[in-house]
Amino acid sequence: MEHHTHISAEHRLLDLHLDELWRYRDLVWLLTKRSFVVTYKQTVLGPLWLLLSPLLTSIVYMVLFGNIAHLSTGGVPQLLFYLLGTALWSYFSTCVTANATTFVDNANLFGKVYFPRLAVPVSRMLGALIHLGIQMILVLGLIGYYTAAGAIRPTWELWPTIPLALLVMGGLGMGCGVVISSLTTRYRDLSVLVGFGVSLWMYLTPVVYPLESVTGPLRSLILANPVSAQMEYLRLALLGVGDVSAGWLAGSALVSCVILAIGVVVFTKVERTFMDTI
Amino acid sequence: MTGEVDHVDRVVELPLAIRMRGVAKHYHLGQIGGRTLQHDLQSWWARRRGLEDPNQRIGTVAHIDGETLHALRDVSLDIYKGERVGIVGANGAGKSTLLKLLSRITAPTEGEIDIWGRVSSMLEVGTGFHREMTGRENVYLNGAILGMTRREITERMDQIVAFSEIGDFMDTPVKRYSSGMFVKLAFSVAAHLNSEIMIMDEVLAVGDAAFQRKCLDRMRQAAQDEGRTVLYVSHNMDTIRRLCDRCVVLDEGRVLFDGEVEEGIAAYLGRSLGDDSVDRDLTEVEHTRWSQGTGVRMTRVALADKATPSYTPGEGLRLRLWVVADSPRKDACVRVTLRSAADVGLGTAWSEPLDLGAGEHELLVTLPLELVACGAFYLSVGVFSDDGTGRRQTLDHVTRALRVEVTGPPAWSATALGYFALPGLDVRDVAEGRL
């Protein structure tokens, strides 16, 4: 069948070319592979860094939050609690920050050749997911060890839904990321704000503390944060501790979908002419 | 213009590959480029106080009206399957914008474009190549960026490797490649795409001459044998001539000419020269870029005793050339080069070294035209330094400074018989009576 493309000065908001993205699925995969290969070429430890960096972060958290600030971990061994929190948060924050600079970083590539621009954010999300997968090997090892030792009781029946929760989380991160990247084509300042904003965001998410330990007005702020529900849910499934209701979870998933949809629509609109402004 | 009649016939034979209707692209000046909130606030504050916007782009291009640059205006084109279309025009004529619209890098401000078939655009070779990755990995990535699937690339890998002449280095990171190897590999990927429409922006300007020729042949073969459509932008008229069978000339965002290649090239070059003047002020035209700061410059050139630039073959060409020398020199030679209307160099004449004192000089340059039979020519004039050993360096040079026409005998045609009447043939009967 012959391929026909229609380009018009008029842009329909819902013209998202998602079918085209599917045709370029090999590109998505190759871009993911490229960033992985390129990151670890000519490094001594290579992908081992993926395991080392959350481990070191977790140890710092153990000292800082566990032993100095005496924050609760809901009865879960500190190392496992912080390791899971760090791995999940770095997955989410990578989805945001890696995508926040899509247009600016790829201006050179985008200016020379057409392909569905969404391939880049999707590949970044996929890359973050692969990183998470590697880190989860360590986490699952610890879960196995502590379960056998009787220190934790994972909620096994929730495990089949884990991928869905991860997808919602990644989608939310990518949604935020592409909205920011669309805005940074005009306002470069935003890229400065992102790094700062994301680290603040972490403290409004139950990463280094369980939700149940928070009361008062701060709690409602954390509840309003759509990442919190997924975080608590994943902890409930994997570690057996979590404070989450079905309604809250569904609300968070809905908000995530809306943000992702807005992100994709805005991104598709901006990609048409961003080369003129960048 | 002249292509109209021609194209009516083609509609019947060939299916369309690209149809553009009333396409325009405008850029808002002063809003180009990355901005920060601070800039926006600055502009706003300046406007409030009735001052000039400090972030306004500065430029003096003819087709800017108010704050809008009309990069393309009301362009309508039909391109048929299997055509090899060359797009020429001066810098800023809209060539690159046109290619960007067709390759969907940016969207038009007005109008509609329909494209039948997959488009692969090569506005640059090696887009997406990463230094750290091997040749093979880069071929996959680059191919995928250009719209191929992994399976399609695997199927063509052997062809790509053979064409690129890289061979054993396919599994070496491209950062170890020479720039020539890099270009060859990158072009090979692009040349073996299975898209129906190929868009190229001077990518052939890189690479050595032999490889360039190979690429052009490959492109032409792709169009002729595989029915692919090629759109090619270049400033090099020779490559246009070798590759294309149709020429579109753009000027200030409009289609100036659309039709035969030779006519198109002539139209473009004629346009870039301007008019049929016999007297040209050289202070306002483009000089060769090596001519800056040499202390010698040409300010004006004129055809002596002529009202129109028209000659008969027996007539001598007499030029008046005004030259300013900052300091006295004894090594300055005048050079005049004759170029055909289609911009092929035909011949060059040198003067003996002159004794030029500091200040302005008016030189009378005479070139006999006995050999020249007929045709329209461009004259390039220049002043060179001669160190006595035959090595000459540019002091100042203007390509296509003037256009002259030699009206030959009525039976003479420049296309069939050429530009020059060669010396008379010597013919002897050396075997009389033996048959």
Side-chain angles (χ1 to χ4, degrees):
Chain A
M1 195 195 73
E2 188 170 59
H3 189 70
H4 174 236
T5 315
H6 181 74
I7 303 167
S8 168
E10 316 283 316
H11 172 60
R12 280 172 301 148
L13 218 50
L14 292 177
D15 219 347
L16 299 179
H17 307 295
L18 292 180
D19 52 326
E20 210 173 31
L21 184 61
W22 178 246
R23 271 207 296 119
Y24 276 78
R25 59 189 180 279
D26 280 342
L27 175 63
V28 173
W29 174 241
L30 284 164
L31 284 174
T32 312
K33 205 173 115 187
R34 177 178 87 160
S35 68
F36 197 83
V37 168
V38 164
T39 314
Y40 297 108
K41 275 218 172 147
Q42 289 204 357
T43 57
V44 180
L45 295 177
L48 218 60
W49 279 114
L50 274 177
L51 300 180
L52 222 54
S53 74
L55 209 57
L56 292 174
T57 313
S58 301
I59 290 168
V60 171
Y61 285 174
M62 277 169 76
V63 175
L64 211 64
F65 299 124
N67 295 346
I68 298 175
H70 295 294
L71 286 184
S72 145
T73 57
V76 176
Q78 284 183 355
L79 181 64
L80 177 56
F81 185 89
Y82 292 130
L83 198 64
L84 178 65
T86 313
L88 288 176
W89 182 258
S90 85
Y91 164 60
F92 175 76
S93 66
T94 307
C95 285
V96 179
T97 52
N99 283 324
T101 50
T102 306
F103 284 116
V104 180
D105 285 353
N106 293 286
N108 234 341
L109 184 59
F110 287 1
K112 293 296 178 193
V113 64
Y114 175 82
F115 56 86
R117 307 311 193 202
L118 268 177
V120 173
V122 172
S123 85
R124 296 265 169 94
M125 179 182 157
L126 207 61
L129 200 60
I130 291 170
H131 284 196
L132 177 69
I134 293 169
Q135 293 171 349
M136 284 308 276
I137 297 170
L138 203 61
V139 174
L140 289 174
L142 280 180
I143 288 175
Y145 172 76
Y146 284 120
T147 308
I152 55 163
R153 284 218 319 270
T155 320
W156 301 112
E157 61 270 24
L158 294 181
W159 279 44
T161 60
I162 289 173
L164 193 66
L166 287 176
L167 211 63
V168 171
M169 215 164 145
L172 173 64
M174 183 178 125
C176 295
V178 294
V179 168
I180 297 165
S181 74
S182 307
L183 294 174
T184 41
T185 59
R186 265 190 80 76
Y187 302 113
R188 297 279 171 91
D189 316 43
L190 275 169
S191 53
V192 183
L193 269 176
V194 174
F196 176 66
V198 167
S199 52
L200 277 188
W201 195 347
M202 186 182 102
Y203 294 102
L204 275 184
T205 312
V207 175
V208 294
Y209 54 84
L211 179 64
E212 58 177 15
S213 67
V214 186
T215 50
L218 200 57
R219 186 180 165 90
S220 44
L221 202 58
I222 295 168
L223 288 178
N225 169 5
V227 201
S228 305
Q230 308 304 328
M231 201 62 143
E232 281 292 304
Y233 181 75
L234 285 165
R235 201 134 59 198
L236 179 65
L238 290 162
L239 308 182
V241 289
D243 185 1
V244 65
S245 72
W248 184 39
L249 202 60
S252 134
L254 189 71
V255 170
S256 304
C257 289
V258 169
I259 290 179
L260 179 62
I262 291 173
V264 171
V265 167
V266 171
F267 187 88
T268 317
K269 184 166 167 48
V270 167
E271 72 167 27
R272 280 168 54 87
T273 54
F274 93 101
M275 273 319 294
D276 307 341
T277 50
I278 204 136
Chain B
M1 285 194 298
T2 54
E4 286 293 316
V5 183
D6 202 25
H7 287 166
V8 174
D9 300 334
R10 294 196 203 186
V11 176
V12 196
E13 300 167 22
L14 290 164
L16 272 172
I18 297 170
R19 185 177 62 202
M20 301 178 77
R21 285 290 174 269
V23 174
K25 177 75 185 174
H26 308 320
Y27 290 101
H28 296 286
L29 297 175
Q31 289 182 25
I32 299 172
R35 289 167 73 89
T36 61
L37 270 170
Q38 191 203 346
H39 278 151
D40 271 0
L41 290 173
Q42 208 180 13
S43 303
W44 171 80
W45 180 239
R47 276 197 305 273
R48 269 209 61 162
R49 290 178 302 159
L51 295 176
E52 224 176 278
D53 185 346
N55 300 312
Q56 182 91 36
R57 264 283 171 101
I58 298 164
T60 47
V61 184
H63 42 298
I64 293 173
D65 100 55
E67 296 214 329
T68 310
L69 167 74
H70 302 278
L72 280 182
R73 292 187 281 193
D74 192 27
V75 172
S76 297
L77 275 178
D78 285 325
I79 291 167
Y80 301 90
K81 292 237 154 89
E83 277 194 307
R84 291 162 280 143
V85 183
I87 298 167
V88 296
N91 288 331
K95 303 180 303 276
S96 297
T97 307
L98 182 69
L99 294 197
K100 277 184 182 166
L101 293 182
L102 290 176
S103 44
R104 298 172 71 195
I105 283 158
T106 184
T109 319
E110 284 166 26
E112 311 273 320
I113 305 171
D114 281 279
I115 299 170
W116 289 272
R118 286 208 280 174
V119 175
S120 60
S121 57
M122 289 171 256
L123 303 193
E124 175 189 78
V125 286
T127 310
F129 265 46
H130 200 287
R131 288 166 37 80
E132 296 286 350
M133 290 168 55
T134 68
R136 195 178 304 277
E137 286 171 333
N138 270 312
V139 168
Y140 276 103
L141 185 67
N142 190 230
I145 285 176
L146 294 168
M148 284 204 280
T149 64
R150 255 185 304 170
R151 216 184 52 202
E152 287 171 324
I153 302 166
T154 308
E155 280 168 9
R156 282 152 198 269
M157 187 54 93
D158 290 341
Q159 274 171 286
I160 293 172
V161 175
F163 190 88
S164 70
E165 306 162 0
I166 299 284
D168 297 341
F169 297 96
M170 282 304 283
D171 296 302
T172 308
V174 296
K175 63 178 172 183
R176 311 247 181 268
Y177 283 24
S178 71
S179 53
M181 286 162 73
F182 184 92
V183 166
K184 285 179 178 186
L185 182 62
F187 187 84
S188 307
V189 184
H192 290 86
L193 296 175
N194 56 348
S195 52
E196 290 84 16
I197 301 165
M198 307 174 100
I199 296 178
M200 294 187 296
D201 190 2
E202 284 208 286
V203 286
L204 298 176
V206 287
D208 55 69
F211 193 74
Q212 266 187 33
R213 196 167 316 120
K214 188 168 158 185
C215 294
L216 282 175
D217 291 344
R218 162 79 197 144
M219 295 282 99
R220 194 172 42 223
Q221 181 209 338
Q224 283 172 343
D225 304 349
E226 300 161 32
R228 300 210 229 158
T229 311
V230 177
L231 261 78
Y232 176 60
V233 163
S234 181
H235 286 289
N236 182 338
M237 297 303 136
D238 247 13
T239 58
I240 295 263
R241 198 174 283 127
R242 207 169 325 163
L243 176 63
C244 303
D245 62 356
R246 177 175 165 192
C247 185
V248 172
V249 183
L250 290 179
D251 185 59
E252 293 187 358
R254 289 205 171 90
V255 177
L256 180 75
F257 175 91
D258 178 8
E260 275 300 310
V261 174
E262 291 301 331
E263 284 174 51
I265 292 172
Y268 161 58
L269 295 174
R271 176 73 197 180
S272 65
L273 185 63
D275 53 341
D276 277 356
S277 71
V278 294
D279 190 343
R280 184 159 296 268
D281 182 354
L282 297 180
T283 54
E284 282 172 8
V285 304
E286 197 184 334
H287 290 234
T288 305
R289 66 191 142 105
W290 301 285
S291 63
Q292 305 234 319
T294 56
V296 174
R297 64 196 176 278
M298 304 182 295
T299 52
R300 186 177 156 202
V301 63
L303 301 175
D305 318 320
K306 279 282 179 184
T308 58
S310 175
Y311 289 80
T312 55
E315 210 175 344
L317 180 69
R318 276 149 45 90
L319 297 174
R320 287 184 189 285
L321 182 63
W322 283 260
V323 177
V324 177
D326 293 342
S327 53
R329 50 194 316 156
K330 294 185 182 331
D331 61 346
C333 301
V334 175
R335 188 184 95 171
V336 173
T337 303
L338 225 54
R339 306 178 78 84
S340 75
D343 204 29
V344 174
L346 297 176
T348 300
W350 290 93
S351 76
E352 291 297 315
L354 303 167
D355 195 350
L356 281 187
E360 189 173 18
H361 302 266
E362 185 186 332
L363 308 174
L364 182 64
V365 183
T366 309
L367 175 68
L369 286 180
E370 288 133 19
L371 280 179
V372 180
C374 155
F377 304 93
Y378 291 104
L379 297 176
S380 302
V381 292
V383 182
F384 289 70
S385 68
D386 186 338
D387 65 0
T389 64
R391 273 184 45 209
R392 287 156 174 151
Q393 279 186 319
T394 315
L395 294 173
D396 194 11
H397 188 255
V398 174
T399 310
R400 295 187 296 271
L402 284 170
R403 184 175 181 274
V404 296
E405 216 167 311
V406 178
T407 46
W412 194 282
S413 137
T415 46
L417 303 171
Y419 298 105
F420 300 106
L422 300 177
L425 287 175
D426 178 43
V427 180
R428 286 172 218 189
D429 190 341
V430 291
E432 193 189 3
R434 277 194 220 155
L435 289 176

